[in-house]
Amino acid sequence: HGPPQMIFHHNVGIEAGKTLRTTYPKDRLIGISWRSASRMGGNKKSFSLNNCRNIIQCNGAKFINLQYGSSEIEVQNAQKLFGVEILSAEGIDTLRDIDPMVGLVSELDLVITVSNVNAHYAGLAQTPVWVIVPKLPLWHWFRGRDDNPWYPTAKLYRQEPSETWAPVLSAVSDDLAKWLSE
C-alpha cells in the first residue's frame, strides 16, 4: 500500500494572493501580524495592532491580515481609528491552513511580523520578511545581528533590553516608508 499521500493546498493561498494582486495592481502587498501564541514568551513577543499605526498608514501598500486566532475586532478598531483598510484572504483560516498560508505569503511583496509562525512561513517561501524580535532572547534569531542565516530574505528589528516597542516600530515604519518610495 505504501505511505499515505500528502495533499498540499498551496494553490488556495497562491490564488488568494494572485486575486489580491489583480485587485490592487498599483499597491505593494504586505502581510502583517502582531501577536505570538507561544506558551514560551508569546506575550513578550506581542503587542497591539494599534501600536502599528505609522506602519499601516504608509501610502502605496495594502496590508493583509496574517494574524492567526481571533483578530477581527482588533482589525476593525484599527481600521476605524486610523482610516485604513486591512484585508483578509478569503477562504484561508490563518490558524489551521498552514499550506495555503505559505502559498499566500509566497505571493506577497513583504511580511512584517513579530517572532511567530508567519516569520517562518515567509522565510520558507523566500518572501522578504521583517521580523520584530523582542528583548526576550530567542535562540533562532541569534544575537547581535539583523539577519538570519536560515532565512536570507529576513531582516531583524530588535527590541533593546531597556526599550518599549515604540522605537522598534518607529524604525520599521521609517524603513517601510523608504522601501515604498523606491
Side-chain angles (χ1 to χ4, degrees), residues 127-162:
T127 298
V129 57
W130 295 357
V131 185
I132 301 165
V133 180
K135 52 188 153 192
L136 173 74
L138 299 169
W139 68 269
H140 51 281
W141 298 123
F142 302 92
R143 289 186 184 199
R145 55 189 304 165
D146 66 357
D147 67 344
N148 185 288
W150 298 320
Y151 302 136
T153 61
K155 180 176 182 180
L156 308 180
Y157 290 83
R158 293 183 179 279
Q159 183 185 38
E160 296 300 322
S162 62

Side-chain angles (χ1 to χ4, degrees), residues 53-74:
R53 177 184 193 147
N54 292 336
I55 295 170
I56 60 177
Q57 286 186 319
C58 282
N59 291 325
K62 284 294 180 189
F63 287 90
I64 294 83
N65 178 11
L66 301 179
Q67 184 58 57
Y68 49 86
S70 177
S71 65
E72 294 82 16
I73 292 172
E74 198 170 359

Side-chain angles (χ1 to χ4, degrees), residues 1-5:
H1 289 306
Q5 293 289 327

Side-chain angles (χ1 to χ4, degrees), residues 15-27:
E15 289 306 314
K18 287 183 178 182
T19 298
L20 288 166
R21 176 95 39 227
T22 301
T23 307
Y24 304 100
K26 294 181 181 174
D27 293 306

Side-chain angles (χ1 to χ4, degrees), residues 76-124:
Q76 289 171 0
N77 288 338
Q79 290 181 131
K80 286 179 196 169
L81 280 171
F82 309 139
V84 297
E85 180 180 29
I86 300 172
L87 307 168
S88 295
E90 298 301 318
I92 298 176
D93 180 338
T94 54
L95 179 62
R96 292 176 184 83
D97 293 344
I98 295 169
D99 205 49
M101 283 293 291
V102 173
L104 171 62
V105 164
S106 74
E107 294 295 315
L108 301 178
D109 296 304
L110 174 67
V111 171
I112 299 173
T113 183
V114 297
S115 175
N116 68 17
V117 71
N118 290 308
H120 302 287
Y121 291 162
L124 174 68

Side-chain angles (χ1 to χ4, degrees), residues 34-38 41-48 114-115 134 165:
W34 55 94
R35 285 195 315 260
S36 169
S38 171
N43 61 333
K44 292 182 177 150
K45 298 193 284 182
S46 304
F47 44 79
S48 166
V114 297
S115 175
W165 285 114

